C-alpha cells in the first residue's frame, strides 16, 4: 500500500471512528438526562398525569426502573441497535412507527428548504462578490436583514400575506401524496425556514469568493492570460466551495431543529411538531429518539463533508495527508 493510500485510509478510519464515538457518547447523555433531574425519575415521568396503578406499572416496565442504571442503559442501547426506540405514552404507539409516519413531511420540508437556500444563497453571494459596488452593498444589507429574521416571524408574515390576503398558497397541512400538492403546501414553510439560512449562505459564499479572487494563485492565472468563466470555474469557485460545503453540513441538522416552529405555525404533521408535543407531555421515549435522530444526521452529514472536502481542495488533501 502506497503512503498516500495509507494516509487516506487513516483519514477515513479516524473520521468514521470519531463519528461512532460521538454517537455512543450521545446515547449516554440522552439516556442519562432523565436521571440528572432532581427527584424520583418516575415522579418526573408522571408529572401532569393521573398516577393510576396501571400507568405506574406501565412506566416502570417501559423504563425498567427496578433495574440498575447500567443494565437499563444497556437494554435501551441494544434495543436501539435493533430498531426498538421504545413506546410512546402520549400516542400509545411504537416510537419507530410513530417516527416513520411523521418523517416524510419533515424530509420533504428540509430538502425543499435546502434547495432554496443553496440556490438563493449562493446566487446572492456570487452576485455580491463578482459585481461589487452598489450591488454588493445592497445585497449585504438585504442578507444582513435576512439573517436576523427569525423563522417563526417570517412564517407568520408569509402566512398572513400569501395565504390570508392573497390566497395564493394553502395555510395548513402538508398536501397529498403527489409531488405538486406537496410543493404547493410546503412552499411557504420552506421559504420561511430558508430566509435566514439563505442570508448566511450568501455572506459565506461572498467571503469565500472574495478571498479566492484576491489570492496569489488567481493573480498568477490572470498573468498567464486566463480570465472570464474559465478563471472563475477552475481557480475561484472550486476552492471557494469548501466553506460553502462545510456550512451546508451544519445546515441540514439545523433545519431539523428549527423546523419545529414552522411546522407548528403551518400545522405540519412532522418530526418538529412531534417533538414539541412530546416535550410538553414528557413523552421521554419520543424525545430521546428524535434527539438521537438529529445528532445522527448532524454527525453523518459532517462526516460526509469532512471526507469530500479534500477531494475538492487539493491543498486541504495534501495538508491532511501530511
Amino acid at each position: 500500500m502506497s503512503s498516500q493510500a495509507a494516509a487516506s485510509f487513516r483519514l477515513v478510519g479516524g473520521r468514521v471512528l470519531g463519528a461512532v464515538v460521538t454517537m455512543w457518547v450521545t446515547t449516554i447523555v440522552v439516556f442519562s438526562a432523565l436521571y440528572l433531574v432532581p427527584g424520583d425519575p418516575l415522579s418526573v415521568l408522571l408529572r401532569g398525569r393521573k398516577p393510576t396503578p396501571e400507568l405506574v406499572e406501565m412506566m416502570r416496565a417501559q423504563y425498567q426502573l427496578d433495574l440498575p442504571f447500567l443494565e437499563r442503559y444497556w437494554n435501551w442501547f441494544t434495543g436501539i441497535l435493533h430498531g426498538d426506540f421504545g413506546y410512546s405514552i402520549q400516542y400509545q404507539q411504537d416510537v419507530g412507527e410513530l417516527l416513520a409516519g411523521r418523517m416524510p413531511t419533515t424530509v420533504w420540508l428540509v430538502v425543499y428548504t435546502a434547495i432554496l437556500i443553496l440556490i438563493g444563497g449562493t446566487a446572492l453571494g456570487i452576485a455580491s462578490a463578482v459585481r461589487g459596488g452598489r450591488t454588493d452593498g445592497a445585497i449585504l444589507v438585504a442578507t444582513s436583514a435576512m439573517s436576523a429574521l427569525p423563522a417563526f416571524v417570517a412564517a407568520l408574515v408569509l402566512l398572513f400575506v400569501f395565504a390570508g390576503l392573497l390566497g395564493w398558497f394553502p395555510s395548513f397541512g402538508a398536501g397529498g401524496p403527489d409531488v405538486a400538492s406537496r410543493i404547493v403546501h410546503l412552499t411557504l414553510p420552506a421559504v420561511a425556514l430558508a430566509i435566514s439560512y439563505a442570508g448566511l449562505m450568501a455572506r459565506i459564499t461572498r467571503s469565500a469568493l472574495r478571498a479566492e479572487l484576491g489570492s496569489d494563485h488567481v493573480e498568477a492565472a490572470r498573468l498567464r492570460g486566463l480570465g472570464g468563466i474559465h478563471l472563475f470555474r477552475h481557480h475561484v469557485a472550486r476552492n471557494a466551495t469548501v466553506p460553502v460545503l462545510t456550512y451546508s453540513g451544519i445546515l441540514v441538522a439545523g433545519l431539523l431543529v428549527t423546523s419545529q416552529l414552522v411546522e407548528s405555525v403551518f400545522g405540519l404533521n412532522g418530526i418538529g411538531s412531534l417533538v414539541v408535543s412530546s416535550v410538553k407531555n414528557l413523552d421521554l421515549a419520543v424525545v430521546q429518539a428524535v434527539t438521537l435522530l438529529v445528532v445522527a444526521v448532524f454527525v453523518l452529514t459532517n462526516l460526509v463533508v469532512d471526507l469530500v472536502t479534500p477531494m475538492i481542495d487539493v491543498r486541504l488533501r495534501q495538508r491532511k495527508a501530511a
Side-chain angles (χ1 to χ4, degrees):
M1 181 183 293
S2 65
S3 58
Q4 185 176 0
S8 299
F9 180 78
R10 288 196 301 270
L11 172 64
V12 174
R15 295 297 184 270
V16 172
L17 179 60
V20 172
V21 171
T22 300
M23 284 305 305
W24 175 62
V25 172
T26 301
T27 63
I28 297 176
V29 173
V30 169
F31 182 79
S32 304
L34 173 65
Y35 305 95
L36 296 177
V37 179
D40 180 16
L42 186 60
S43 64
V44 176
L45 293 170
L46 291 172
R47 187 183 304 161
R49 299 185 177 95
K50 185 179 179 181
T52 62
E54 295 79 8
L55 181 58
V56 171
E57 187 63 29
M58 180 190 296
M59 300 294 262
R60 285 191 179 279
Q62 177 176 349
Y63 296 102
Q64 302 176 341
L65 295 176
D66 55 338
L67 299 178
F69 175 82
L70 290 180
E71 186 175 352
R72 289 198 299 269
Y73 167 75
W74 179 251
N75 292 338
W76 176 78
F77 179 70
T78 53
I80 287 176
L81 295 180
H82 291 87
D84 181 11
F85 292 92
Y87 191 79
S88 170
I89 299 296
Q90 177 186 0
Y91 293 94
Q92 297 293 301
Q93 186 179 355
D94 181 79
V95 174
E97 297 176 357
L98 186 61
L99 292 180
R102 298 285 191 115
M103 188 68 71
T105 298
T106 299
V107 171
W108 268 94
L109 178 60
V110 168
V111 171
Y112 193 0
T113 304
I115 292 173
L116 294 179
I117 293 170
L118 291 174
I119 294 176
T122 54
L124 287 172
I126 292 172
S128 180
V130 174
R131 297 293 296 274
R134 292 182 178 179
T135 301
D136 183 28
I139 292 177
L140 280 176
V141 171
T143 53
S144 296
M146 291 166 60
S147 302
L149 183 64
F152 73 92
V153 174
L156 293 174
V157 173
L158 292 172
L159 187 63
F160 176 73
V161 175
F162 293 99
L165 294 180
L166 300 177
W168 291 355
F169 295 95
S171 61
F172 187 86
D178 57 294
V179 175
S181 177
R182 287 275 189 178
I183 291 176
V184 170
H185 279 77
L186 293 178
T187 293
L188 292 185
V191 172
L193 264 180
I195 289 176
S196 61
Y197 285 103
L200 291 172
M201 177 67 79
R203 298 177 72 86
I204 291 171
T205 303
R206 175 188 179 275
S207 298
L209 290 175
R210 282 294 182 90
E212 291 298 325
L213 286 168
S215 63
D216 294 337
H217 72 92
V218 172
E219 290 297 328
R222 287 197 180 103
L223 292 175
R224 294 198 305 269
L226 296 178
I229 298 298
H230 181 81
L231 175 67
F232 184 81
R233 287 180 57 187
H234 295 279
H235 295 273
V236 178
R238 183 183 178 90
N239 293 332
T241 303
V242 173
V244 175
L245 187 61
T246 302
Y247 175 67
S248 300
I250 303 173
L251 169 72
V252 176
L255 289 176
L256 283 175
V257 175
T258 55
S259 66
Q260 54 187 290
L261 297 174
V262 173
E263 287 185 8
S264 298
V265 172
F266 288 94
L268 303 180
N269 199 27
I271 299 296
S273 58
L274 173 65
V275 74
V276 171
S277 175
S278 298
V279 169
K280 180 180 178 181
N281 292 281
L282 294 176
D283 198 348
L284 183 64
V286 176
V287 176
Q288 288 175 331
V290 174
T291 303
L292 287 177
L293 173 65
V294 172
V295 175
V297 170
F298 180 82
V299 170
L300 181 60
T301 52
N302 279 276
L303 174 64
V304 172
V305 168
D306 208 21
L307 296 177
V308 169
T309 47
M311 303 177 187
I312 298 174
D313 194 334
V314 178
R315 299 168 300 178
L316 186 59
R317 181 167 67 248
Q318 292 172 345
R319 192 181 307 129
K320 288 189 175 184

